[in-house]
Amino acid sequence: MSTSINNTPKIKRVTVPDIASRKNGEPIVSLTAYTAPMTKILDPYCDFLLVGDSLGMVLYGMESTLTVTLDMMINHGAAVVRASNHACIIVDMPFGSYQESQSTAYRNCARVMIETGCAAVKIEGGVEMADTVKFLTERGIPVMGHIGLKPQSVNINGGFRPHGFDSSEALKIKEDAESISRAGAFAIVIEGVKPDLAEEITREIPTVTIGIGASAECDGQVLVTEDAIGMFSDFTPKFVKRFAEVGEEINLAVKQYADEVKTRTFPSSEHYYVRK
Ligand code: KIV
């Protein structure tokens, strides 16, 4: 903790180098965050909060992440930055905003950083994105990679399925990890891959790995918050542990509210304004 100019204590956020330095250290804790109220709850517990493009499915009811726009990511990213003061904030680059060319990627990533105040961006891809990762990091944009199950590639990869169970796919994922690491990514999300492959990658590359449906041996873990607290029940992947049933709690609260409105027991005198 440092002190600001008027002597009030200033809480220091977790930085990108802090995250990068956690190789083989204390596991990195992270969750997705899309809104200000949820961010305020998650922020003290997390090393980084990911404004994931999963928000398209979780908040907007989209079928995949492919229809998420840059403006959506910027609006939610800015809300999460405003509501946090501890975690490092990382924003997902949506489909179509970085794949076309290095200069388009730079322009869009810089726009996300300028308009949200986030510390870093995440892009999906392996060997094919390595030059872009290098281009961005050399120009001041910290990049988190994302390999294995890449939700933006579901139309090519045959849906949301586990990866790395056949040897040629495992080899490709390993090459993806190595090339993104060499290109300068400060961390790599490994999603939906065979646990021993995630462990081997974690052992062999110097970059921190963040597992989701991968292995407890990764350098950290991330989950979609709404999955983990039982608020997104359309589909729960096998790798998600439900740490709470918040959706059920909301259901009970709303049912009680509806009952009390219908029976005129809410509002009661304690909720009325009275002249003092
Ligand atoms: O969009 C997202 O939430 C993600 C995480 C699941 C890693 O990419």
Side-chain angles (χ1 to χ4, degrees):
M1 193 171 329
S2 63
T3 309
S4 71
I5 207 151
N6 57 8
N7 247 5
T8 51
K10 196 164 169 263
I11 294 161
K12 190 184 165 299
R13 267 185 198 273
V14 179
T15 64
V16 164
D18 291 337
I19 303 279
S21 71
R22 297 271 287 274
K23 187 75 197 171
N24 302 322
E26 188 188 356
I28 298 160
V29 178
S30 80
L31 284 165
T32 58
Y34 316 129
T35 65
M38 187 65 93
T39 298
K40 287 185 184 157
I41 299 171
L42 309 178
D43 186 44
Y45 300 100
C46 291
D47 296 304
F48 74 84
L49 289 172
L50 174 67
V51 187
D53 61 354
S54 51
L55 63 79
M57 298 168 80
V58 176
L59 294 188
Y60 291 85
M62 294 171 171
E63 269 185 24
S64 76
T65 57
L66 295 170
T67 43
V68 172
T69 67
L70 201 52
D71 285 342
M72 287 164 71
M73 295 311 299
I74 289 172
N75 288 338
H76 287 279
V80 170
V81 171
R82 280 194 296 271
S84 58
N85 60 22
H86 167 259
C88 183
I89 308 299
I90 300 167
V91 177
D92 246 349
M93 296 304 294
F95 178 68
S97 68
Y98 60 92
Q99 295 92 338
E100 187 182 349
S101 68
Q102 292 170 6
S103 55
T104 310
Y106 186 83
R107 178 65 24 236
N108 287 330
C109 292
R111 193 180 150 210
V112 165
M113 292 189 71
I114 292 164
E115 294 185 27
T116 67
C118 71
V121 297
K122 174 164 83 58
I123 68 177
E124 293 182 13
V127 174
E128 75 288 0
M129 291 310 301
D131 288 346
T132 301
V133 172
K134 186 165 187 289
F135 187 89
L136 295 172
T137 49
E138 283 175 347
R139 288 160 181 77
I141 297 182
V143 178
M144 173 177 278
H146 184 152
I147 60 168
L149 194 173
K150 292 168 287 180
Q152 293 177 12
S153 302
V154 283
N155 290 330
I156 302 248
N157 289 338
F160 295 92
R161 61 167 180 82
H163 282 62
F165 282 83
D166 77 64
S167 54
S168 64
E169 197 173 62
L171 190 63
K172 165 80 175 74
I173 293 170
K174 222 175 141 202
E175 283 167 5
D176 286 342
E178 285 161 357
S179 60
I180 293 297
S181 170
R182 265 196 311 274
F186 72 93
I188 303 178
V189 170
I190 305 180
E191 178 167 358
V193 306
K194 211 168 141 224
D196 56 359
L197 175 61
E199 285 162 32
E200 189 181 330
I201 292 171
T202 300
R203 251 192 334 269
E204 291 183 9
I205 64 169
T207 308
V208 295
T209 61
I210 309 294
I212 172 164
S215 162
E217 298 308 316
C218 290
D219 297 299
Q221 301 294 323
V222 64
L223 277 180
V224 170
T225 299
E226 284 74 2
D227 283 341
I229 63 171
M231 262 186 78
F232 182 63
S233 48
D234 290 5
F235 166 68
T236 306
K238 176 177 164 51
F239 57 75
V240 170
K241 176 171 174 184
R242 284 165 81 132
F243 291 84
E245 294 298 337
V246 172
E248 190 43 37
E249 278 286 301
I250 294 173
N251 186 42
L252 290 175
V254 174
K255 182 179 177 312
Q256 184 178 344
Y257 167 73
D259 289 346
E260 292 189 18
V261 168
K262 286 179 194 157
T263 55
R264 297 191 194 282
T265 49
F266 175 83
S268 62
S269 57
E270 67 191 288
H271 306 110
Y272 292 155
Y273 287 112
V274 287
R275 207 179 277 274
K276 293 225 170 95

